[in-house]
Amino acid sequence: MSEYELRAARPEDIDAVLAFWAEAAEGTSISDDRAGVARLLERDPRALILAEREGAVLGTVIAGWDGWRCHLYRLAVHPAARRRGIGTALLDAAHARFAEAGGRRVDAMVLEHNELGQSAWKAAGYGREDQWRRWTRPLDVTARPAS
């Protein structure tokens, strides 16, 4: 039997995933809360892929597919479980999901100061695209458009 198994996250995994990200992921996201992860799972139940052993989360990746582009987020492996192929297995599962959907190219979000993450993405065959910049704006769901 494998040291871990890969599977899609379920709603009952949300608290464990959030605790895992707090320990193993680099930085936090505006969507790192119960409601944000629940919305992800409701909209796309296969997007959040977990690596787990005996109910403990060892790794995660969000393989987001919007019907046009393939996006990867929250690739993280528990510090005690790194260098065992878990990150590679998670990426292989994400790539398979994208290929099945008809995706053509994958992009990954990596924090500028996350040197460990940048090394991992480079080792996985990803390359930095300096000609692109990410522009963001938080949505204020309580604001109403002017009449």
Side-chain angles (χ1 to χ4, degrees), residues 80-112:
R82 292 180 181 155
R83 315 273 322 147
R84 296 184 188 166
I86 294 170
T88 299
L90 286 164
L91 286 179
D92 288 348
H95 294 158
R97 169 178 156 76
F98 295 146
E100 179 183 306
R104 297 182 184 175
R105 181 180 68 180
V106 182
D107 66 52
M109 300 300 302
V110 186
L111 291 170
E112 190 68 31

Side-chain angles (χ1 to χ4, degrees), residues 2-5 51-58 81 84 86:
S2 176
E3 170 183 352
Y4 56 89
E5 70 171 298
E52 74 170 8
R53 179 179 53 224
E54 299 174 5
V57 178
L58 298 179
R84 296 184 188 166
I86 294 170

Side-chain angles (χ1 to χ4, degrees), residues 24-107:
E26 181 73 24
T28 57
S29 167
I30 194 170
S31 301
D32 284 1
D33 56 35
R34 286 188 109 288
V37 178
R39 275 190 301 275
L40 171 67
L41 297 180
E42 182 178 316
R43 183 183 180 292
D44 187 350
R46 295 177 52 213
L48 176 52
I49 303 168
L50 305 182
E52 74 170 8
R53 179 179 53 224
E54 299 174 5
V57 178
L58 298 179
T60 65
V61 69
I62 297 174
W65 167 249
D66 63 13
W68 184 49
R69 300 264 174 110
C70 308
H71 306 284
L72 292 171
Y73 309 92
R74 300 314 251 162
L75 175 64
V77 176
H78 191 280
R82 292 180 181 155
R83 315 273 322 147
R84 296 184 188 166
I86 294 170
T88 299
L90 286 164
L91 286 179
D92 288 348
H95 294 158
R97 169 178 156 76
F98 295 146
E100 179 183 306
R104 297 182 184 175
R105 181 180 68 180
V106 182
D107 66 52

